[in-house]
Structure formats: C-alpha cells, structure tokens
C-alpha cells in the first residue's frame, strides 16, 4: 500500500476551524486508499508567542530550554488534530518527536536529524491509523529535546517520508505552489507544474521562501518526490523531482530574490590566500552567514574583497572586522546597504552560455546597475539597488518569457 | 547534603513576574545549602484554555490525546523557570515527566506513578544544578504520555521527594497553610502549625482543597514531612507529619465541608447483600463517585438505601439507576439537592466518644437538621442543607474552640 506524508505549516493549522480543513484533506487521502502520515507545525503565532515569553526573561535564553519551550507548540497541534480526526470517525494517533523516534544530533535550536526509528510507528500505520507527528522537533541520544530550526517541519516531513519509504511528500502551505517568482511582487508570475530539486534549491536558498532548502536537499538525496500545494484550495501544486521535462528553450525557470542585502568591502587586504581565509574564519566564528563573495586583485601585494550579509547582521559584522583590523591587515572598511540580490535560476542554463549575457543586457537596458555578480551551474545572481528590484523582476520575467505556459512532455 | 523538593502550583507560576518570585524562594533555599528539586504546574489558566480548545473539537476527546495536549502546560513552565534561574546566575535544568523517568501505569487522565528512575537526574543534582520537573505528568512503559489527574502536581512532588529521599517536600500555594476551616467562609478560621497525615487526608478528601489526598497518602506511606506554605509571603506554613503533639483536649482539629451535594435514595430495595452491591456495581461501572452511604432496613424483605453524589453527576446517576430499574428491583427513586457535607476532623476523636454528640447538639441548637451521618475513626460527617452551611461552620468552630491557639509541645 502506498504511503503519503502530508505536511501542514503554521498558517494551515492556525485554528480549530483550519484543523477541520486539514482533516478534510487528510481524510480524502486516506479514503483514496493511501496510508497517511501527517506532519504539523505549531498553530499560527504560537511559536512567536513562546519566543516572546522567553524574551521577557532573557536576551539570550538557554538554547536547551528554548527547545523544551518551543517543542510544546507542535505537541498541541498533534493532539488537537488527532482529536479532530477521531471525532470524525478516523483512528488517528499523535506522536511527539521523541515518541516518533526522531533522533537528532546534540545541537539545540538548529539540530539535524540523525535517524528515525520507524519501528515505533509502523505497527499503528499498518493497522490503518492515521499517524500525526510533531514537526520541527526531535530528541538526542541522551534524551534532550531538540528543534530543527527555521523550516524544520519541512525537514521533518521529508526525513519521515524517506525513512518510511513514502511514495511522496506533500507540503501544504498558504501558497498554491512554486512560482516563477514571488507573485506579490510580479503580477505576471506563473505557477510552475514541475521544478527540479536543484532549481528548487537555488530558488529556496535565494529566498523564494516556500520550502526550506534543507528539506529539498533531503528529498534530492533520497530521490523523494515533493509536492508543494495549497492547504486552502484543491488546485494542483508544483511537483519537485529529479528530472523535469520541458522545452529546451526555457533555460530560465524562475527569478529568486532577496532584500535587505548589504555589501561589505575590505579595501587593500594583503593579497594572499591566508589573509582572505582569515577574514572568513573571523566572521564564521561569530556565526555570521555571508553570501555573495567577490574578490578583485589590485596588484601583487593588495586585493579588495567584497561580500554580502543580511542587513540585520551588519553591525555585528562591522564590529568583528573592526575588532580584528590589525590582525586582518586591511586598509579600509566600507559598506553599502539597501541592496537586493536578484537571480535567474534554471537547470538548462549550463548548456546555454548566452543566458547570463541576456540578463545583464536586459538590466542594462533599464539602466539598472549591477554591483556584484555570482554564478553557479544553474543560476546567475546579481546585486542591485533594492529600489530597482521590482522593475528588474518585471524586466527579467518578460525577457525570459516566464509568463508563458511551458509544455510538459510526458 | 539535604534535599528539599519545592512544588509550585498554577497560581504561583501564572506569569513571568511570578516566576521571578518563585525563583527568589528557590535561590534562597539553594543558597541555604540544600539540593533543590522544583516541581511545577502549568501556568495559571493554561490547562483550562487547552481543555476548552479540545472542547471545541469534541465532547469526549480521546484521553490519550488530552494527555498529550495538557502535558504541554507544565513543559512551558519548566522551560521558563529554568531560564529565569539561569538568567539569575544559577544552573537549572528542566525535565518533562518522561525525561525525569516518571513511569506511570497505562491509564490516561488519572494515572498513578509506578516508579521514578532517579539515575536520570541524580548526576545533575549532585553537580549542584537546580532541577526543575514538570508535575502532573509521566510516561507509560510503552512511551505514551500520561497525566495524573486533579492535584497531580502535588502527587508528582511527593513521589519525587520519596524517590530521591528528600528531607521534606514543600507545597507552595496561594494560601499560607492548612486552616481549621476555609477562611473564606469562616472569618475566625485559624492556621494550624501542624496536622497529622490522617487528619490532613480527611480534610483533603472532605474538600479542604489545599492538597490532593493522593499526595498526602503517598507522604504518609513514606513518612515524608510535607509543608504547605505560601508562594507569596514568608509566613511559616503548616507541617504535615506522622505524630502531632497537642493538647489532648483539642480532639477536633478542623472543619471540612463540601457543597453541591445531592442525596439519592432508592426506596424498597430487596433486602439482601447482592441487591445493594449490584446498585454500587452499576454506578461504579459508569465511574460515578459516590460518597456517604446510609442503609435503613425496613423489614426482612425491603431496605432503603441512600448515598450522596456531586450535583454535577446527578443526571448521569439517575439515568443509570432508571435504566437498571428492573434489574435492581427497587420500588421508588428519589433525590434531594442543594445539600452540603460538613465534617469535624481530629485524631483525638477516637478516644473522645462524646465529640459526635457534641456536634449534633450544637447543630440542633441552631435548628440545623442533619439528613445523613457517617463516621470514621477521626471524623464525623453530616449532610445538611447547603443554605445552613455557613451558620453551621460558625457554630462548630465556636463549639470546638478552633480559633484558640493550641500549645504545641516540643
């Protein structure tokens, strides 16, 4: 019998009324003959409320205790959803992370799943019960509660689907699928029928926000078919899988972007490998994530090094760099804020070398200045003024014909 | 090193502000040199709110899922209290019921603690950490979350104190101790310095409400010294222990009472043991608790049987009895509501046979009609009109000189 894992996020389970709608979808799936495991997040703003209570107590509460605190959110949801399903005549059993045998590494607030002991749930699943599992959480070998960090429930769902060899994992959310770009910003944005893991990864990492990249990585590694679809409608979603059939001409599949980007530049850094790596070590020690990196060698002795950070992390980044000025040996530290990162993504790009040039040309035609460029096999990212972002998105959406329906060959 | 278990109820932990006050008391105890285990309830109205959410879903939600739901309440408290203590420079670690190794029987909503695996916490305790444990909850052998039912956190605290061989268990609550009777009803009610387990048990069972009887039983069986005291003041509380020294004349130690009592009477029941036991079997099958029982034999063939139930259970009780009318063979079913149960309690009573007569006389002098009587070694209970309760309490408090300070011999 086929098994489907269905994951519902916080907005989808925000109230008892919405839990009834979730139950509709779960029951429909169950009655179609599948075995069903449901993974849920905390209800609506629950996590935020718990975080804010902790914030009343401490600026930096113990991460172990934060996990104890936050994990209650999903525990409430699993109990209530099970009750809803029971009340509607379906046998449902709830499991917290530790009850479901979801073991993680011993890291708090951002743990990775190490293993899932399927023997704890398999008998109930085989007896026909609907299994409801708390997402976002697990337990260490020594019995400490852990959480998986942002987007953790997606990761839980995919890891569970993999462990139980599910035929697919459906991520129900408040959008109807994955779009060519964010429809809140570009009116002509179009929902994609299919997208490859790699494309989705780039989209996710680049701030498309629908699905957590860690979950996509998991799915990619285990060749698990993911579906992103709406909790609130019956529209078909977007399938994320290994190979996506499409017109070869459609080399760009989507536009990803990110706001609040700041570019930090170290001028006159000593031109040697150890100086550059020392900069990134210094920053990494403070757990500051940096993104696009561009290095520009001036002469044999000196080099300029630029990278981007989220604007929220700017102060901390500057503090760290200023504090290590002598050690790092740069001549000047400058930065530029109110930037955005804009990227074109598509698996077909690797075989289409002209795509990047087409992008730069389109932006130039609108007098949008490109401040940094970074490329990978399947994407080209540019850093531009945030004020020009919408205009740039519209232009590129047009340039790459993203509004036009693609023909999916079977 | 001496170990003290401190238990704080829902009112005492109702807000972050109150958690700070709890921390004051915990830190004071810790700094006095004791090892400290703290047992906490859910914050304020949390449990009620969770119950009400479940109530939106089902009139009779799965008891297993109710336990999953309700146990989140204490889990939030342990995390926040640990954060408060950490923030104030004290090492504190939280444990849920299952993390603390609190194993219960496989019964939901009203489980009994079967064992506590102290090895899970002992090392951290010995290292000097303050241990914070979620009350009210445990886990079955098969990993299901259970709760202990009403007053469960008291029971958790006492069971933990016993398992860890604590020198004493302090129950912090919103009253300052155990009173001769409820001070909200009798102004002259006086706080007792000491009370015996047996007296406390009768007071607790009879609705004194300060401490759950199951906790007192636990403490009695393990000869553990209990203290009931206030979370909000530094007043000395009431010590509950085996032997209480007192003036022998003070045979009555307190007045316990209960409102919303209904008397149910079966008239003309066949006069044989099996008929009477069949009545109680029928009621017990529905898990209806009955209290005072009085049987009055009419003749060789017939008997009248009366008992009391909480008014809330009246409809259910009547349904059960009417449904079994033929099988039970009674002639008529009548009931009387708006009654109260009023009891005098005191260990010295057994050796003072005149005490019951003194009680009846005092009530009669106020024209308070006694509808049922039930006695034990250390208490005499009467059923009277609820409308007369306050008057009766005042009269008996006066009659038995309960406002007068007792001399405690050392």
């Amino acid at each position: 019998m086929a098994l489907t894992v269905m994951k519902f996020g916080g907005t989808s389970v925000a109230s008892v009324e919405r839990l009834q709608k979730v139950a509709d979808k779960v029951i429909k799936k169950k009655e179609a003959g599948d075995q069903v495991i449901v993974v849920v997040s905390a209800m609506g703003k629950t996590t935020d409320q718990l975080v804010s209570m902790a914030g009343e107590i401490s600026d930096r509460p113990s991460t172990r205790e934060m996990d104890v605190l936050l994990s209650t959110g999903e525990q409430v949801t699993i109990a209530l959803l099970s009750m809803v399903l029971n009340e509607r005549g379906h046998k449902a059993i709830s499991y917290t992370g530790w009850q479901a045998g979801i073991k993680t590494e011993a890291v708090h607030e951002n743990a990775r799943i190490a293993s899932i002991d399927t023997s704890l749930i398999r008998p109930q699943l085989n007896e026909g019960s609907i299994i409801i599992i708390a997402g976002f959480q697990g337990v260490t070998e020594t019995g400490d509660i852990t959480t998986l960090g942002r987007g953790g429930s997606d990761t839980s769902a995919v890891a569970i689907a993999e462990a139980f060899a599910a035929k697919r994992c459906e991520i129900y959310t408040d959008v109807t699928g994955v779009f060519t770009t964010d429809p809140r910003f570009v009116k002509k944005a179009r929902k994609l029928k299919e997208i490859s893991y790699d494309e989705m990864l780039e989209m996710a990492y680049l701030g498309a926000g629908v699905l957590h990249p860690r979950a996509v990585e998991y799915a990619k590694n285990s060749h698990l078919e993911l579906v992103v679809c709406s909790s609130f409608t019956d529209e078909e979603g977007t399938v994320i899988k290994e190979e996506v059939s499409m017109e070869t001409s459609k080399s760009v599949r989507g536009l990803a972007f990110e706001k609040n980007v700041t570019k930090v530049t170290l001028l006159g850094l000593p031109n040697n490998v150890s100086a550059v790596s020392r900069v990134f070590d210094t920053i990494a020690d403070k757990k500051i994530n940096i993104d696009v990196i561009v290095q520009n060698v001036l002469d044999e002795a000196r080099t300029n090094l630029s990278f981007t950070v989220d604007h929220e992390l700017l102060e901390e980044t500057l503090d760290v760099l200023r504090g290590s000025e002598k050690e790092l040996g740069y001549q000047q530290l400058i930065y530029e804020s109110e930037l955005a990162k804009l990227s074109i993504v598509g698996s077909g790009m690797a075989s289409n070398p002209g795509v990047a040039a087409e992008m730069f040309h389109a932006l130039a035609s609108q007098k949008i200045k490109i401040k940094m460029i970074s490329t990978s096999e399947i994407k080209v990212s540019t850093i531009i003024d945030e004020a020009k972002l919408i205009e740039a998105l519209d232009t590129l959406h047009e340039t790459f014909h993203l509004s036009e329906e693609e023909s999916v060959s079977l």
Side-chain angles (χ1 to χ4, degrees), chain A residues 14-89:
Chain A
S15 63
V16 168
E17 205 184 339
R18 289 205 174 160
L19 286 175
Q20 297 287 359
K21 297 223 182 299
V22 168
D24 291 344
K25 289 198 179 276
V26 171
I27 290 169
K28 197 169 165 188
K29 184 73 64 180
K30 179 75 188 155
E31 288 182 340
D34 276 14
Q35 290 186 332
V36 179
I37 296 178
V38 184
V39 176
V40 289
S41 303
M43 295 171 81
K45 300 282 171 209
T46 307
T47 305
D48 292 347
Q49 284 159 6
L50 292 171
V51 167
S52 130
M53 285 176 92
E56 283 181 55
I57 292 170
S58 172
D59 291 336
R60 200 172 286 197
S62 145
T63 57
R64 180 188 184 278
E65 302 303 339
M66 275 307 278
D67 284 352
V68 172
L69 182 68
L70 296 186
S71 64
T72 62
E74 293 78 31
Q75 190 169 329
V76 167
T77 320
I78 58 171
L80 294 177
L81 180 57
S82 296
M83 288 177 193
V84 169
L85 288 163
N86 285 332
E87 184 70 12
R88 291 171 63 171

Side-chain angles (χ1 to χ4, degrees), chain A residues 270-278:
Chain A
N271 183 19
N272 59 59
V273 177
S274 71
V276 171
S277 68
R278 206 178 299 131

Side-chain angles (χ1 to χ4, degrees), chain A residues 122-278:
Chain A
R122 184 68 80 182
Q124 286 73 25
L125 190 64
N126 288 345
E127 275 166 32
S129 291
I130 298 167
I131 305 295
I132 317 288
I133 302 180
F136 181 67
Q137 59 182 251
V139 67
T140 68
E141 277 301 328
T142 55
D144 282 322
I145 296 171
T146 49
T147 65
L148 310 184
R150 276 184 69 86
S153 291
D154 290 344
T155 311
S156 300
V158 173
I160 289 165
E162 184 196 353
F164 284 87
K167 72 169 179 186
R168 64 185 205 168
C169 178
E170 301 175 347
I171 308 286
Y172 290 82
T173 173
D174 49 359
V175 298
T176 56
V178 180
F179 282 71
T180 51
T181 192
D182 191 330
R184 288 171 299 180
F185 292 91
V186 178
K187 281 196 184 143
K188 288 188 167 175
R190 182 178 50 80
K191 189 170 72 190
L192 294 162
K193 286 197 176 75
E194 297 181 338
I195 187 170
S196 73
Y197 297 123
D198 287 333
E199 288 168 339
M200 187 65 213
L201 268 176
E202 293 290 1
M203 296 289 273
Y205 273 120
L206 296 169
V210 180
L211 200 51
H212 197 270
R214 207 197 285 178
V216 182
E217 271 173 22
Y218 248 108
K220 182 187 173 187
N221 291 335
S222 51
H223 307 282
L224 175 75
E225 196 170 301
L226 275 179
V227 186
V228 172
C229 47
S230 165
S231 301
F232 306 112
T233 74
D234 285 329
E235 267 182 72
E236 256 182 74
T238 301
V239 178
I240 304 160
K241 56 184 189 179
E242 192 73 53
E243 288 297 332
V244 177
S245 2
M246 65 188 129
E247 299 173 85
T248 46
S249 68
K250 195 138 283 180
S251 47
V252 175
R253 300 272 293 155
L255 307 179
F257 62 90
E258 211 172 297
K259 306 209 277 183
N260 291 313
V261 172
T262 294
K263 175 184 173 186
V264 176
T265 302
L266 295 171
L267 296 173
L269 200 65
N271 183 19
N272 59 59
V273 177
S274 71
V276 171
S277 68
R278 206 178 299 131

Side-chain angles (χ1 to χ4, degrees), chain A residues 296-310:
Chain A
N296 191 11
V297 177
L298 300 177
D299 53 40
E300 274 190 23
R302 294 282 157 182
T303 180
N304 293 345
L305 180 71
S306 297
F307 57 86
T308 60
V309 292
D310 191 277

